[in-house]
Amino acid sequence: MSRQAQVQLNKGIGKPKAQKTVEAKQRISWSEIKKQKQLILLSLPFLIYVIIFNYAPLAGWVMAFQNYKPAKGFFDQTWVGLAKFKQLFSNDVFLGVIRNTLAMSLINLVLGFVFSIGFALLLNELRNAKAKKFIQTVSYLPHFLSWVIVVGLVFQVLSMDTGVLNQLLLKLHIIDTPINFLSEPKYYWGIVGITNVWKETGWGSIIYLAAITAINPELYEAAAIDGAGRFRKILHVTLPGIKSTIFILLIINIGNILNSGFDMQYLLTNGLVQRVSQTIDIYVLKYGISLADYSLATAAGIFKSVVSIVLIFLANRFAKSAGEERLF
């Protein structure tokens, strides 16, 4: 290649138009920054908030590699390396905590997705606008109740003496004696899953309803001309239309697989169901505050964060290989 041709190539002469357009978009000039300085200034408080409350606390992770004692200075702590992590994974209690967290997270994930999508599809099929708005409003309300109130309702419903469920089962002669649901470990995960569905289904359906409204109505008209009924329209038009939304939310929720919850499990637990109710968050609270083992609690928190990040990357990679929508 001649020197003149090389100079022209460096200047962009002779490059494909699409390539030059992409390169032009990638370059950000000071003039463009000045034009958008108001937006940049508006975003600064949020950036500062994230740095202070999300990134600055990461410095505390160093406690996981120390035998941390609050009375000592930062440089006077005893460094123990990975000893706290080894202690975690050699502890049968922590392994049981991981099992509980994963089990309840998977139950909440599956039931949450199925019920939210199903509710959004059914709600979309309602033709009476007033009835639709009323049902939407009623379904959203439980989301705004605190877990303290929700757990109080669960206690009332499942009570042995005056609980609605026990009274109903006795009236229908399904059981002969009342069942103490809140003291039986085999019922605990089911209670958590059903309660979470009742509280969050209406709220979780909002984004699916928004995605459904973005579907081109002409697709439904074309399906009707081809003889498709309501079920066929849902199967071949609505679900494919919101598939990208489903994948994005699935990736986000997979990243939160170890966040099975804290409030409900903490409030609903008792000595009889503790072996199936304790989650990683409760474990961290117990060892970090009650037993003052800050290093062990920090190690458990690091494990949870690392697993969440890895799961997000794996889910995103899987979505990319499947040709579906992804986060990045």
Side-chain angles (χ1 to χ4, degrees):
M1 182 182 293
S2 66
R3 184 176 180 80
Q4 184 179 359
Q6 182 67 40
V7 172
Q8 289 179 342
L9 185 61
N10 291 336
K11 290 181 178 179
I13 301 173
K15 289 185 179 180
K17 186 176 181 180
Q19 184 179 351
K20 289 191 288 185
T21 303
V22 171
E23 290 180 358
K25 288 181 178 179
Q26 289 176 346
R27 289 196 296 267
I28 301 175
S29 63
W30 282 108
S31 60
E32 290 182 5
I33 293 176
K34 289 179 180 179
K35 288 178 183 177
Q36 301 192 27
K37 63 181 180 181
Q38 291 87 356
L39 294 175
I40 295 173
L41 290 173
L42 283 173
S43 64
L44 278 179
F46 301 100
L47 180 62
I48 294 170
Y49 175 87
V50 170
I51 291 173
I52 293 174
F53 293 100
N54 292 85
Y55 288 98
L58 293 180
W61 278 13
V62 73
M63 288 192 296
F65 307 97
Q66 302 171 332
N67 188 17
Y68 184 79
K69 301 297 181 184
K72 295 182 179 180
F74 177 79
F75 296 102
D76 299 328
Q77 301 293 334
T78 304
W79 293 86
V80 295
L82 299 175
K84 292 297 179 180
F85 292 93
K86 293 177 181 177
Q87 182 181 346
L88 271 181
F89 294 106
S90 61
N91 187 348
D92 292 336
V93 174
F94 185 71
L95 297 178
V97 165
I98 295 175
R99 179 205 62 185
N100 298 340
T101 305
L102 287 173
M104 284 186 275
S105 292
L106 288 172
I107 290 171
N108 290 339
L109 179 65
V110 173
L111 292 180
F113 261 85
V114 170
F115 278 86
S116 293
I117 294 171
F119 183 71
L121 294 174
L122 293 174
L123 204 57
N124 184 61
E125 293 299 314
L126 278 178
R127 296 294 176 258
N128 190 313
K130 290 184 179 180
K132 185 176 181 178
K133 289 179 180 180
F134 175 76
I135 294 173
Q136 279 182 299
T137 303
V138 172
S139 66
Y140 298 161
L141 288 178
H143 172 78
F144 298 100
L145 296 176
S146 71
W147 277 110
V148 175
I149 296 173
V150 173
V151 170
L153 293 173
V154 171
F155 274 114
Q156 294 298 321
V157 171
L158 300 180
S159 171
M160 283 188 66
D161 301 324
T162 59
V164 175
L165 185 57
N166 270 313
Q167 295 296 324
L168 180 62
L169 294 176
L170 288 170
K171 291 289 184 182
L172 296 175
H173 302 290
I174 296 176
I175 58 174
D176 297 324
T177 56
I179 301 173
N180 192 356
F181 290 101
L182 299 175
S183 299
E184 292 285 345
K186 62 182 179 180
Y187 297 124
Y188 188 84
W189 292 348
I191 293 170
V192 171
I194 293 171
T195 305
N196 192 71
V197 165
W198 174 78
K199 189 175 188 295
E200 301 296 342
T201 293
W203 185 257
S205 66
I206 293 176
I207 194 166
Y208 297 111
L209 286 169
I212 290 172
T213 58
I215 298 174
N216 191 343
E218 293 179 0
L219 295 175
Y220 291 103
E221 295 173 6
I225 292 172
D226 290 338
R230 285 194 175 187
F231 181 75
R232 290 284 184 181
K233 289 178 182 177
I234 291 173
L235 195 61
H236 297 291
V237 179
T238 308
L239 284 176
I242 63 174
K243 184 172 66 170
S244 60
T245 304
I246 294 173
F247 267 88
I248 291 294
L249 291 176
L250 183 60
I251 293 171
I252 295 172
N253 282 284
I254 286 177
N256 291 322
I257 198 73
L258 293 182
N259 292 325
S260 63
F262 168 81
D263 304 89
M264 183 179 182
Q265 287 84 348
Y266 185 75
L267 294 168
L268 203 59
T269 192
N270 56 64
L272 297 174
V273 297
Q274 188 174 0
R275 66 182 180 86
V276 296
S277 67
Q278 197 172 29
T279 62
I280 293 178
D281 292 329
I282 297 175
Y283 184 88
V284 168
L285 174 68
K286 178 181 177 182
Y287 281 88
I289 295 179
S290 301
L291 301 180
D293 193 340
Y294 303 105
S295 299
L296 192 66
T298 304
I302 291 175
F303 164 75
K304 176 183 172 182
S305 299
V306 170
V307 170
S308 298
I309 292 171
V310 171
L311 287 174
I312 286 179
F313 275 93
L314 290 176
N316 193 74
R317 186 65 181 270
F318 174 76
K320 182 178 179 180
S321 62
E324 301 295 342
E325 292 290 335
R326 55 191 188 275
L327 286 176
F328 47 87

